[in-house]
Each structure stands twice: as C-alpha cells, then as structure tokens.
Amino acid sequence: MKTVIEPFRAKVIESIKFTTEEERETALKLAGYNLFHLKAEDVIIDLLTDSGTSAMSSEQWSRLMVGDESYAGCSSYFRFKDTVSKVLGFEHVLPVHQGRAAERILFGALVKPGQHVLSNTHFDTTRANIESNGAQAIDFPDSGNREFCGNIDLRAVKRFIDEHGRSSIPLSMITLTNNSAGGQPASLENILAYAALLKSHDIPLFIDAARFAENAWLIKRRERPELSVLDIVRQIFEVSDGCMMSAKKDGLSNMGGFIACREADLCDSLKQNLILTEGFPTYGGLSGRDLECIARGINEALEDEYLLYREKSTLYLAQRLNDAGVPLINPPGLHAVYIDAAKFLPHLEPRELPGQALVCALYLEAGIRACEIGTLMFGRRDLQSGAETTHSAELVRLALPRRVYSQSHYDYVIEAVCNVFDRRSFLKGLRIVQQPECLRHFSARMEPIENSFTHQSGVSGGVGNYEC
Ligand code: F0G
C-alpha cells in the first residue's frame, strides 16, 4: 500500500469548541494580540508547540496505575533509568521536571562566568541558562547541506577553540533536531566529526536530545538507510559525554525530562542541586507514574511506523503549502512547518512584527494558534533610548503535536493559511504597547498599526519558497 496511515486509532477523544470570527476577534483584543494570553478552549487547532502536547498511548495510560510513588528508590525510577540506559547508553540518569531544569542544573555545575558554550543553535531556555551563569552561548549553524541544515559548522568551531583555548569551553553542545533553526536535523557524519574534534581538544560533548528520535529518523531517511533507528541513536550518543532531554517532545509525555551522563563524579555533583531544587534523585520533580510514561514513550517514539507517519504527515502539510506558493523553510523537519513571514508579508518591516501579524491573522481566520519566532521573540527594546532591535528572520512555526491531529485537521490548516495568503497584502502590522524586560513574547501586549503599509500598498508576483 502506498497510503501511509496513522499507526493508531482513537479510543478517547477531546472535543473541540468552535468559535465564530467575531468571538475570536474579541478574544484576540482581550489577549493584547498575544496568543499566549488566549484561553486554550478558544483555540480550534493548537499548533503553538509540540512540547508536552502529545497524545499518550493506551500502554502509557495503563502505566499510571503501575507508577510507584515511594519517595525514595521507587521501582518506576529503575524502569525509567533502565530504558534510558538501554536506548542512549548512559549509566547515570537523573530525572527532572522538564528540559530547562536539566539545563539549569547541568550548566550550574559546569559553567563559570566568562566561559563559552558552543552549539549548532542553542534553544532559548538553553541560552538563558548559560547566560544566567555569566557565560556566553555561541551558535555555529551550518546550513550548507540542504538535507542536514541542522549541522554544526566544524571549521568555525575549530577556529573558535584555537582562538579562545580549551579552558574557556567547559562543554560543547549540539541540539537534535535544531529547533531554533527550523527543526532541521544534523547528519551522523557531522555529529561524529564534531565529537572527534571536541575529543581531540578534551572538551566534553553534551547533546540536547529533545527530538533525538526525529533526528535519527531523518538520518535513516536521508543518509544511512541501512541502519536501524536504534543503531543510529546508539552511534550518536556513544560519542557524547552526556545529554539533557525534555521528555515533552520525543518522550511522548506531557511532562518530564532528565540529565544522563557517563561520569559518576559529575552525577554526584549534579545530585546535590537536584535534591535542593527538584527532589530526591529517584524522582527529580516527577511522580512515579510520569517516569513510567516517559520510559514507555521513549520506546514508542523510536518505532519505524510512528516515525514514518510523523514524516509523511508533516510533509503532507508542507507540500500543499509549497504548492500554493506559501514561503516555507524547505525541506521541513518533522516537528513543525515554518512559514517565512518576511516573504509572506513583504510590505511589513520587521519592527511591524510580520510574524505576529500572520499569527493573529491565522487565529482570526480559523482559530489556529501558531507561534512567532522573529522580532517579537528575539528583538529587544532599549529601556533608555526606546530603540528596538530586530531579528534576522521572521518566522511563524506551525508546531505539530504528536499523534493528535489527523489529515482533515491539516486540510483545515492548509485552507486557512491559503485564505490568509490570498489577502496578505491587506494585513496590518502590530506595535508593542507593553512588554517585560526579558522573554517578552510570552507576555507583551500589542495593537494593530492602522496604516502600516510602509513599503508598498500590495503584493504582486510570486513569493517562491526558499531553502533552509
Ligand atoms: N531544548 C529544546 C531543543 C527545546 O525545543 C526545548 C523546549 C527545551 C530544550 C526546553 O525544554 O520546555 O521541557 O523546559 N521547547 C519548547 C518548544 C518549549 O515549544 O519548542 P522544556
């Protein structure tokens, strides 16, 4: 059969509440044009994030009753640890309540003020947790290989090490897949060469493993078809010293994460902070039932049928948007489709927040909630001068929760994006009227700019797609 179907069927369903355009207009105004302020029940299709939004399997739900809630030494911890050790090959595994807690604890132990941590691209909480230790997070993305735009630039890494010296780099990272750069994968060749380079300088490699299974699948599809996904995963993690994982993505769980490493001494020092801030090392901020769900989820996320369906459903959405001429980052990764809002709305300048204007338009059109990754998220207002910095890319991420939406939901999204695309030249920009000092996209309030057609009053001609 050529048709790839969802390798599951529904047993429990969650009803969607439908809203009218008028109701959405009111909700959007009340939310200050910031979709983080919406009530989730006012959203028809929620593509804000793929994090913690997966549908769990009946096998996972059944583990809830098996969960051992003992404070210390619960059997759920040992099942969880055995799974992580078996799949990723690390002896020491510490649970945490989510990915950023792993970042805080690991960098708190390893990173000192003035030092540098390198990566293909740090996710925003990763960067913030490095910077809160007075160190710098440096990105070296390499988009030279179309199929592996998540690669790290090895020449730039080598140059940096030569210039700054090993002692200024306590550890180096790679994010799999590279979420902040369009959810693109890194190739096995690139990961192994990076690990060898770091090893030759005695710099530990830690992997941000949030979407490790999706990265391994794309390696299988695009680079090493003869290997199994599990073999690829083992080859990746074998050359690393440890990893941080948000289990809310490829752990197919609604909450949780972990740090895993090889060195007993490092694990012991991490445990001190873990006990202080998360909990006893055999539960680390999670209940026993969460540990059970993650253990099961990690195995399910590595199944070929699941990963093939994941690939095909993301491609289905991306291909139809590509066919309609909607500018996307191509090829798409697995966890999201990224629209290039700067090309979608060329009449809006970055300071007029084209990504957010598109996000609001999609909500008004069809109740779809997406996420801006551009000047609203990464721009800054200088508190003294009031000057705004803008971001180099204006993207809108349609993040795809795992095992949640079907093809007809995607057809609905495609229709909505195409409708907005047809009247793109009429979309107005936004201005920020209230914002906090940091991570402003979560809480800023905005209003439409009435006359924001600064460059031209309409869009003519095609706006082709562009490569990552
Ligand atoms: N690393 C990556 C690559 C991530 O994408 C995220 C979260 C984290 C770390 C932090 O994990 O949320 O469990 O604390 N990404 C979510 C997203 C929030 O929407 O992309 P967390």
Side-chain angles (χ1 to χ4, degrees):
M1 288 296 296
K2 289 196 202 73
T3 309
V4 175
I5 59 170
E6 285 89 352
F8 49 82
R9 56 188 178 179
K11 176 141 68 180
V12 176
I13 55 105
E14 189 179 358
S15 298
I16 291 174
K17 188 186 105 184
F18 287 88
T19 48
T20 62
E21 193 171 343
E22 247 182 4
E23 287 166 339
R24 293 195 289 272
E25 205 172 336
T26 309
L28 195 58
K29 265 189 204 150
L30 271 174
Y33 296 86
N34 185 338
L35 275 62
F36 282 97
H37 291 316
L38 288 176
K39 283 189 185 156
E41 63 173 19
D42 290 335
V43 174
I44 295 176
I45 305 263
D46 205 344
L47 307 183
L48 187 65
T49 179
D50 64 319
S51 178
T53 51
S54 307
M56 290 209 297
S57 65
S58 52
E59 290 290 342
Q60 282 178 296
W61 281 109
S62 74
R63 303 307 295 172
L64 295 187
M65 287 311 293
V66 179
D68 175 356
E69 307 303 339
S70 307
Y71 189 96
C74 66
S75 53
S76 300
Y77 168 75
F78 294 104
R79 270 189 290 275
F80 159 81
K81 178 186 173 289
D82 285 350
T83 301
V84 176
S85 296
K86 208 166 118 213
V87 172
L88 304 183
F90 297 112
E91 194 180 338
H92 305 286
V93 186
L94 298 173
V96 292
H97 82 274
Q98 66 180 92
R100 64 201 69 184
E103 294 164 355
R104 180 176 51 74
I105 290 169
L106 186 76
F107 297 137
L110 294 183
V111 173
K112 304 223 162 19
Q115 291 190 315
H116 304 96
V117 179
L118 319 182
S119 184
N120 48 352
T121 311
H122 294 86
F123 181 66
D124 53 7
T125 58
T126 323
R127 173 179 299 284
N129 274 299
I130 291 168
E131 290 174 355
S132 73
N133 283 293
Q136 253 183 298
I138 317 261
D139 295 338
F140 288 123
D142 177 359
S143 54
N145 179 343
R146 186 181 183 273
E147 305 225 289
F148 291 101
C149 294
N151 280 353
I152 186 157
D153 184 339
L154 299 177
R155 262 190 264 172
V157 171
K158 185 166 178 352
R159 219 177 302 126
F160 191 92
I161 299 172
D162 290 344
E163 270 170 30
H164 291 79
R166 184 259 172 263
S167 60
S168 90
I169 308 167
L171 77 160
S172 208
M173 305 232 2
I174 190 160
T175 311
L176 303 178
T177 55
N178 194 354
N179 184 14
S180 309
Q184 301 290 332
S187 70
L188 187 58
E189 187 188 6
N190 183 254
I191 298 167
L192 298 185
Y194 177 48
L197 173 63
L198 294 178
K199 199 172 170 51
S200 70
H201 290 86
D202 197 26
I203 298 171
L205 168 62
F206 276 76
I207 295 174
D208 179 337
R211 299 177 181 84
F212 77 100
E214 295 182 352
N215 201 111
W217 176 254
L218 291 172
I219 287 173
K220 181 174 172 61
R221 299 289 278 172
R222 297 176 186 176
E223 185 186 11
R224 301 295 300 273
E226 78 284 8
L227 296 178
S228 73
V229 175
L230 195 56
D231 284 341
I232 293 169
V233 168
R234 291 200 173 127
Q235 286 201 32
I236 293 172
F237 286 86
E238 207 166 63
V239 294
S240 74
D241 295 274
C243 76
M244 289 171 282
M245 166 99 184
S246 165
K248 297 170 74 174
K249 287 86 170 169
D250 279 353
L252 289 172
S253 296
N254 303 126
M255 191 47 74
F258 57 85
I259 309 171
C261 64
R262 283 182 216 294
E263 285 213 354
D265 287 353
L266 173 62
C267 179
D268 283 344
S269 77
L270 300 176
K271 270 184 194 166
Q272 302 314 311
N273 198 345
L274 189 80
I275 292 172
L276 196 66
T277 57
E278 291 282 297
F280 192 73
T282 58
Y283 74 85
L286 294 171
S287 40
R289 52 182 172 267
D290 292 330
L291 295 169
E292 297 281 353
C293 291
I294 296 170
R296 175 75 206 180
I298 285 176
N299 282 315
E300 289 181 6
L302 290 167
E303 285 168 7
D304 281 4
E305 294 76 16
Y306 158 74
L307 286 163
L308 178 64
Y309 133 79
R310 181 87 173 137
E311 175 193 322
K312 293 292 178 197
S313 53
T314 307
L315 265 183
Y316 178 84
L317 175 58
Q319 264 165 8
R320 272 150 191 80
L321 293 178
N322 272 327
D323 291 347
V326 176
L328 304 184
I329 297 191
N330 282 309
L334 293 196
H335 83 286
V337 169
Y338 290 70
I339 301 176
D340 183 349
K343 290 212 170 119
F344 196 111
L345 299 172
H347 60 289
L348 297 183
E349 289 189 32
R351 64 183 169 79
E352 294 167 318
L353 307 177
Q356 191 62 15
L358 177 52
V359 159
C360 290
L362 284 174
Y363 178 70
L364 270 184
E365 176 72 21
I368 295 164
R369 176 156 70 169
C371 183
E372 190 259 17
I373 302 184
T375 291
L376 175 62
M377 188 178 273
F378 293 116
R380 298 271 176 279
R381 180 173 292 171
D382 187 295
L383 290 178
Q384 245 104 62
S385 67
E388 293 271 356
T389 62
T390 57
H391 188 58
S392 52
E394 302 294 339
L395 303 177
V396 166
R397 183 180 76 169
L398 306 174
L400 307 172
R402 293 165 181 77
R403 307 191 292 204
V404 172
Y405 292 118
S406 66
Q407 189 165 322
S408 67
H409 292 115
Y410 286 175
D411 285 334
Y412 179 90
V413 173
I414 292 158
E415 185 182 338
V417 175
C418 290
N419 288 349
V420 173
F421 192 54
D422 285 345
R423 53 180 178 75
R424 60 195 182 279
S425 59
F426 299 103
L427 260 58
K428 293 186 170 60
L430 293 160
R431 82 164 66 83
I432 300 176
V433 290
Q434 199 183 312
Q435 61 176 305
E437 261 181 56
C438 69
L439 294 175
R440 66 181 187 177
H441 55 290
F442 287 122
S443 49
R445 299 187 75 81
M446 286 151 278
E447 66 183 14
I449 304 170
E450 276 318 308
N451 191 4
S452 63
F453 301 93
T454 42
H455 304 319
Q456 57 192 82
S457 58
V459 179
S460 57
V463 255
N465 301 317
Y466 87 116
E467 303 291 317
C468 67

